[in-house]
Amino acid sequence: MRVLGAAALTAGLLAVPLASAASFGRAAEIPLARAPVSVAVADANQDGIEDLVIADATAPALTVLPGKEDGSFEQPLDLSGPSPRSLAVADFDGDGSDDLAVAGRGEITIYVGAGGALSRRTTLSAPSASTVIATDLDLDGNYDLVAASTSRAAVTVFMGADDGTFLPGQDFATNSPPAALFSADLNGDDIPDLVTGGKGVSALIGNGDGTLGPPQVVSEVAGTTAITGSDFDGDGAVDLALARTPNIVDVLHNAGDGNFVSSTLYRVGATPSAIGATFVDPDSNHDLVTANRGTNNLSILPGLDDGQFGPQQRVKVGKAPVALAIVDLNADGIDDVVTANRLAKSVTVLLNGADAPQPVVCLVPRAVHRTLAVARRLVAAGHCKVASVRRTYSRRVKKGKVISVTPVPGTRRPVDTPVTLLVSRGRKPRR
């Protein structure tokens, strides 16, 4: 396999101007109770409409936003489980419903879709697992799982059985601890292969029986945070697109046999954390989308007829997007985009060619210096609820008036977020 080094890659750098992405309408930012670390799309309640499944940085681990036909969402539902890092969706047990694999805390937890919900079924041991994907490495019609850790130079493969269970994991060595995984047939033999990214990019060629060959270096350049792939140039072979720090997308073109013969670099926003291939505009060329954690936006690279990409277009999203999902949310036949924004504690929904329905949220009221009765009415009008009323002495705020409101007034939170009011007792009596 030909190795693409730093000198070859840098020579292909394309500096491109900033533009606007007019194909997306007004965004909807949906506040969450906890900071998200990942997002996936699944029909979690088996109603035929796509839902969002969000991995949370803190308990109860998972949040489900049930989808509606117009691209809006019902109120969130919580699922308990171990602290998650990565999500993979597939029909593991062959019953026609989406199931979920959640990697984190040294294990992979399997949730099965049945009875209008996701239910926790079993747990697989996966040391320090931080990334998981689903693929069919042995071509038996059952999804297998591949997990990786940023602290181990190996991937762990769990072979899927007909009943949705998995065999114990088998390790395969990698050149360095993987930060990103992607699976596709790279060499045209109709067998899925594996691509790992981190301190360089390597390919592990599938043998068709669930095992993987030794890692073959594709690129020696470090800093890959996410990988996607498709046939960008129309030659029938899967090409790769790598999101790399500090602000690069690296497109590697496949010669058809798994050798990558050319590379072109494109500038995107700062610290891209996720990447996906989709059709943003109405032509037949794949476009690339990155979620840029450092600049709080998306970069869209429109595909051209020759497999190259045009100047980036940026779209603002919530603060610190760390994950990306691409799906047709409103059933218009066009892919839409969702980002999980860690610092904003939100997801941003962008509908292609339409304004996203705006969510009903708790808008924490500005109630300082108001009476308690007025403050209660403001809390209710803001779709929040009063959690508690605490009282303390104050030299500056009159008795019966609000001293402070928690959370911070003016912030957007999920509907019925508890609000605490601190009310003045007046001046403290002298003894």
Side-chain angles (χ1 to χ4, degrees):
M1 181 168 288
R2 182 182 176 188
V3 179
L4 300 177
L9 299 181
T10 304
L13 182 63
L14 295 183
V16 295
L18 185 65
S20 62
S23 58
F24 290 107
R26 180 187 178 191
E29 187 164 357
I30 303 174
L32 303 170
R34 295 163 292 276
V37 296
S38 187
V39 62
V41 176
D43 184 5
N45 55 7
Q46 299 98 55
D47 65 352
I49 302 172
E50 300 287 15
D51 311 312
L52 298 181
V53 181
I54 300 154
D56 300 322
T58 56
L62 298 175
T63 299
V64 177
L65 291 177
K68 298 181 181 180
E69 292 180 346
D70 62 354
S72 64
F73 296 90
E74 304 281 1
Q75 293 304 307
L77 307 172
D78 291 333
L79 285 178
S80 62
S83 180
R85 296 284 301 278
S86 177
L87 308 174
V89 175
D91 180 7
F92 299 133
D93 53 11
D95 66 351
S97 298
D98 287 338
D99 306 311
L100 180 70
V102 181
R105 295 238 175 185
E107 60 189 28
I108 298 174
T109 304
I110 305 300
Y111 294 78
V112 296
L118 289 171
S119 302
R120 189 172 173 179
R121 169 181 281 184
T122 190
T123 299
L124 310 172
S125 177
S128 304
S130 56
T131 304
V132 64
I133 63 172
T135 184
D136 185 6
L137 290 174
D138 58 357
L139 304 175
D140 66 350
N142 301 314
Y143 280 101
D144 312 311
L145 294 174
V146 183
S149 164
T150 55
S151 62
R152 298 175 67 240
V155 294
T156 304
V157 174
F158 300 89
M159 304 305 299
D162 292 339
D163 59 358
T165 60
F166 294 87
L167 299 179
Q170 181 178 1
D171 286 349
F172 297 90
T174 58
N175 288 324
S176 62
L181 298 175
F182 176 74
S183 182
D185 175 18
L186 301 179
N187 57 0
D189 63 357
D190 295 326
I191 298 172
D193 308 307
L194 186 70
V195 183
T196 66
K199 296 179 180 178
V201 177
S202 299
L204 285 71
I205 301 303
N207 297 315
D209 58 359
T211 63
L212 298 167
Q216 303 178 37
V217 177
V218 174
S219 170
E220 295 176 328
V221 181
T224 296
T225 57
I227 306 171
T228 191
S230 194
D231 181 9
F232 301 138
D233 52 14
D235 65 355
V238 174
D239 308 306
L240 298 177
L242 320 174
R244 289 203 287 107
T245 56
N247 61 342
I248 296 297
V249 164
D250 184 0
V251 177
L252 308 179
H253 291 282
N254 191 340
D257 56 0
N259 286 292
F260 294 87
V261 295
S262 65
S263 172
T264 307
L265 307 188
Y266 301 87
R267 291 194 189 278
V268 292
T271 320
S273 55
I275 188 169
T278 183
F279 298 97
V280 173
D281 50 36
D283 65 21
S284 59
N285 303 315
H286 283 91
D287 309 307
L288 294 174
V289 181
T290 64
N292 307 317
R293 179 165 52 89
T295 44
N296 307 322
N297 55 24
L298 300 178
S299 288
I300 299 168
L301 298 173
L304 307 177
D305 292 338
D306 58 358
Q308 303 297 313
F309 294 86
Q312 66 166 317
Q313 305 170 12
R314 292 200 197 176
V315 180
K316 183 179 179 181
V317 296
K319 193 172 183 179
V322 293
L324 179 72
I326 297 173
V327 60
D328 180 9
L329 290 173
N330 56 352
D332 63 354
I334 307 172
D335 279 342
D336 309 305
V337 176
V338 177
T339 63
N341 313 310
R342 182 158 188 168
L343 292 184
K345 292 185 179 179
S346 69
V347 292
T348 299
V349 177
L350 289 159
L351 298 186
N352 200 335
D355 291 338
Q358 297 302 300
V360 176
V361 303
C362 160
L363 182 61
V364 182
R366 303 181 190 278
V368 173
H369 296 295
R370 301 296 188 100
T371 66
L372 178 57
V374 170
R376 287 183 182 277
R377 290 199 295 270
L378 291 174
V379 169
H383 302 288
C384 314
K385 66 179 181 181
V386 175
S388 64
V389 177
R390 296 187 296 113
R391 299 178 187 272
T392 188
Y393 294 108
S394 173
R395 297 176 57 188
R396 296 185 177 183
V397 179
K398 292 181 179 181
K399 183 178 180 179
K401 299 292 183 72
V402 174
I403 299 172
S404 67
V405 178
T406 306
V408 176
T411 56
R412 292 159 51 91
R413 300 298 179 97
V415 168
D416 290 336
T417 290
V419 172
T420 298
L421 302 174
L422 181 62
V423 178
S424 173
R425 293 179 179 271
R427 288 177 177 269
K428 188 173 183 179
R430 293 182 180 181
R431 293 183 178 179

